[in-house]
Amino acid sequence: MTESLASMRPAIVTVDDDPSVSRAVARDLRRRYGSDHRIVRAESGEQALDALREMTLRGDQVAVILADYRMPGMDGIEFLEQAMDLFPAARRVLLTAYADTDAAINAINVVDLDHYLLKPWDPPEEKLYPVLDALLEAWLSSDRRPITETRVVGHRWSARSYEVRDFLARNQVPYRWYLADEPEGGRLLAAAGANDLDLPVVITPDGTALVLPSDAELAERVGLSTAPTADFYDLVVIGGGPAGLGAAVYGASEGLRTVLVERTATGGQAGQSSRIENYLGFPDGVSGAQLTDRARRQATKFGAEVLTTRDVVGLAASGSARTVRFADGTEINAHAVILATGVSYRQLTAPGAEELTGRGVFYGSGLTEAAGCAGQDVFIVGGANSAGQAAVYFARHARSVTLLVRGPSLQTSMSYYLIQQIADIPVITVRTCTEVVAAHGTDHLERLELCARAAGTNETVDASWLFVFIGAAPRTDWLDDLVVRDRAGFVVAGPDLVVDGKRPCGWTLDRDPYHLETSLPGVFVAGDARADSVKRVASAVGEGAMAVSLVHRYLEKR
């Protein structure tokens, strides 16, 4: 049996400082239970606790712990008292001599002892096995299934704890969330040798404890691809939103060696949408996470590489190749590049909002926080589709949802179907001509100061949850002057680069730029990062596909 399969079996742990007794106990246990259980033997309380901590981090299960009472340094009762913090559901047995029966009886109250056995236990068929059979049956009835997900331990109002959970959720990594001040969270912290200053702590399925991990470290440990497998590609797609995923699918499916580079998680803003109902082919709607997951799997099925936590900071022309440089100084080269960097939500400038980000103030849908909003009041800033989708979603959980809209109505920025849905949900209130002018709180958001612009009056409301969707800024600052951008930073492409019959400065080819081509030949732009693009998922996917067809044309006519 392999080690991975063996570790899935529940363990029976025995500890005795007398090597001959320890071996005898383990021998009798293996004879009866070895086929279905791991038998773990230790010769001191500290040695056994080290083994239990390691099993805790791996998510292993311990069914029964047998400890000798008389051990130097740490007796059996002291050991079981610490062991029950690590595996509270394990059945506990104390091995005692006849003279120690009073201590064993007292241990029933101290460590909630399940049974005590007198030494010697021969014959085991009469004195050992019947006891363990009953204890194992009781343990099995408690449904102690092994935990194989990644586990995250943190504080409720910790910004980094939220970022870690959001990163895992957006990358489709299953995880369980534990509060550090609750029993199970405290148990995991103790097993990892961590404390409240080390949060968040992430425990991977193989039992590795990561203290305050970076996104890159987290990605590597949970099995996400972070390193390219080659130095040169046909096509590099920068950005993993709908446009980038569309380009990766069509590029790889049409035979181009394609790599998609994403700095956080595939899906972009669309991937954070609770439900997209106007995307072709999904009459019942689809969540952004579902759509993203399908697109990513589709791209990898055709052979595209998908890299996460890789921040692109530079782009250059190297002869006929295009060089993409990462923040860590490494680089890859390709015949062509598609910029699909998308946009990010603009930051709320109200005093206090920056300090409370991740601690009650969130950008994007914050779906990981939905459960915490149950029965509470939620405020959402924004008047476009993303804000409307979030309002509908949170209305399922929250006591009330207040949509704060700077403009006089929703009609100019939100789809008609969403406006109708919002009007039919009684817990949603729309407040137009209203802005957040301040956010207040100590360790988390507690109050918002709102300004009713029409009346020119301010009011303060109690609030613990604020989700912000206020327009978009393109992620193009890193391009500097390499390609032409408009005043807002969006990339200008195609016919818009030709002004009064003149091609862009520095253009060296004897043709006009292709439709989605930037001012640097061989570099194309698709999706929300393009100037004057239609900010919709369907159009972004279409532009990603179109950009690949133009890449083929560029490669054929170089």
Side-chain angles (χ1 to χ4, degrees), residues 38-50:
R38 295 171 59 210
I39 309 302
V40 178
R41 182 173 71 89
E43 295 183 1
S44 71
E46 282 297 340
Q47 187 183 71
L49 287 174
D50 288 342

Side-chain angles (χ1 to χ4, degrees), residues 105-156:
I105 293 171
N106 291 334
I108 293 175
N109 297 321
V110 176
V111 295
D112 193 20
L113 196 67
D114 292 288
H115 204 90
Y116 69 89
L117 288 172
L118 294 176
K119 297 190 290 186
W121 57 89
D122 292 329
E125 288 78 10
E126 294 180 12
K127 297 183 179 181
L128 178 64
Y129 297 155
V131 171
L132 287 186
D133 287 345
L135 294 177
L136 288 170
E137 183 178 351
W139 180 83
L140 285 171
S141 68
S142 66
D143 190 24
R144 303 299 300 177
R145 288 172 291 184
I147 297 172
T148 57
E149 301 99 330
T150 296
R151 288 163 289 172
V152 182
V153 184
H155 284 309
R156 177 68 195 86

Side-chain angles (χ1 to χ4, degrees), residues 344-471:
S344 57
Y345 290 113
R346 297 187 187 278
Q347 303 294 292
L348 196 65
T349 58
E354 182 178 356
E355 293 80 0
L356 295 170
T357 298
R359 297 187 289 132
V361 177
F362 304 96
Y363 291 86
S365 59
L367 299 183
T368 55
E369 301 301 308
C373 297
Q376 300 194 39
D377 301 317
V378 171
F379 290 82
I380 296 174
V381 179
N385 278 10
S386 53
Q389 290 162 352
V392 172
Y393 178 77
F394 281 110
R396 304 173 191 168
H397 307 273
R399 176 173 58 190
S400 71
V401 176
T402 302
L403 196 58
L404 306 173
V405 183
R406 184 176 183 178
S409 72
L410 295 173
Q411 275 73 18
T412 58
S413 55
M414 189 177 293
S415 295
Y416 176 76
Y417 82 93
L418 267 176
I419 296 175
Q420 294 302 110
Q421 283 187 24
I422 289 171
D424 291 337
I425 301 175
V427 300
I428 299 180
T429 300
V430 180
R431 294 185 56 170
T432 57
C433 300
T434 303
E435 294 181 65
V436 175
V437 294
H440 304 282
T442 50
D443 64 332
H444 70 279
L445 177 67
E446 297 172 358
R447 297 176 306 282
L448 290 174
E449 188 175 343
L450 306 180
C451 174
R453 296 171 61 199
T457 57
N458 286 13
E459 67 171 305
T460 300
V461 297
D462 292 333
S464 296
W465 306 93
L466 178 68
F467 298 90
V468 182
F469 305 82
I470 51 171

Side-chain angles (χ1 to χ4, degrees), residues 484 494-513 519:
V484 175
D496 293 334
L497 289 169
V498 181
V499 180
D500 296 330
K502 295 182 179 179
R503 294 165 182 159
C505 181
W507 186 263
T508 59
L509 301 182
D510 188 23
R511 62 167 176 83
D512 290 346
S519 57

Side-chain angles (χ1 to χ4, degrees), residues 6 13 17 39 81 85 152 178 194 230 232 242 246 269 301 344 533 543:
V13 177
D17 67 303
I39 309 302
E81 193 171 9
D85 291 334
V152 182
Y178 299 92
F232 200 97
Q269 286 188 348
K301 183 189 80 169
S344 57
S533 65
E543 287 193 6

